[in-house]
Amino acid sequence: MCLTSLFIFIHSIIQDRYEPFLRMMHEWRFIIQMKHCGQGHHPGGIKATKAGTCAILCPACPHPNKNLPVGWKNTPPEFQFLYVIFLAIDVNFRLVHRNVSSDAVDPGLNHGYAFFVEETAYKDVLASCNWVGNTQEVSQI
């Protein structure tokens, strides 16, 4: 008996645990997220978490009474650029990981708790705006 046949035998009886491991890591990250935003031991459970509770404020964005100096509205015009919010889009950012066959096949754990909104409410808004099925990008509208 050679080592090759032993190697093939061992690998034939060992099950692939990669997919269950990924599912477990997905659930663990969600539980840690709930813990970090103070919802881990909520009396009403995770279901009582309101939308946007886990989102954090951007520390670089200007927030009055937090990171803007007193009298920031009275700044001379040549220095007003210091207190303007700049929004940009990273061209390498894609939401391809959100493309799943259906929510029944790959259910999400985070239902609008942080930065992504709740999916059914989002789809209702798109349907009311006639954007469902429109392949034109929003930036071109």
Side-chain angles (χ1 to χ4, degrees):
M1 190 176 227
C2 68
L3 285 177
T4 305
S5 61
L6 179 62
F7 179 78
I8 292 171
F9 173 74
I10 289 174
H11 281 285
S12 67
I13 62 172
I14 295 176
Q15 296 178 355
D16 185 15
R17 303 278 188 211
Y18 187 66
E19 290 296 325
F21 175 73
L22 289 179
R23 175 63 61 191
M24 187 234 8
M25 287 302 300
H26 183 73
E27 292 173 3
W28 181 79
R29 283 192 306 255
F30 177 70
I31 291 169
I32 294 301
Q33 176 191 14
M34 290 290 117
K35 177 184 167 193
H36 285 176
C37 68
Q39 301 296 312
H41 300 290
H42 194 279
I46 291 176
K47 294 269 186 194
T49 304
K50 294 183 176 25
T53 303
C54 298
I56 58 171
L57 292 176
C58 174
C61 294
H63 298 286
N65 301 325
K66 289 187 181 177
N67 60 357
L68 290 176
V70 177
W72 65 274
K73 290 184 180 181
N74 301 326
T75 305
E78 62 269 10
F79 293 110
Q80 287 180 355
F81 70 93
L82 294 172
Y83 309 116
V84 174
I85 186 169
F86 291 97
L87 300 176
I89 298 174
D90 183 3
V91 294
N92 292 324
F93 179 69
R94 300 280 183 235
L95 294 175
V96 293
H97 297 296
R98 299 275 299 161
N99 291 338
V100 293
S101 57
S102 70
D103 200 35
V105 173
D106 188 16
L109 299 173
N110 196 343
H111 301 286
Y113 299 143
F115 300 104
F116 288 107
V117 296
E118 199 271 323
E119 188 173 356
T120 55
Y122 176 67
K123 287 182 178 178
D124 291 342
V125 169
L126 288 181
S128 69
C129 297
N130 295 326
W131 284 2
V132 175
N134 188 355
T135 59
Q136 186 179 18
E137 289 188 25
V138 176
S139 62
Q140 296 175 351
I141 294 177

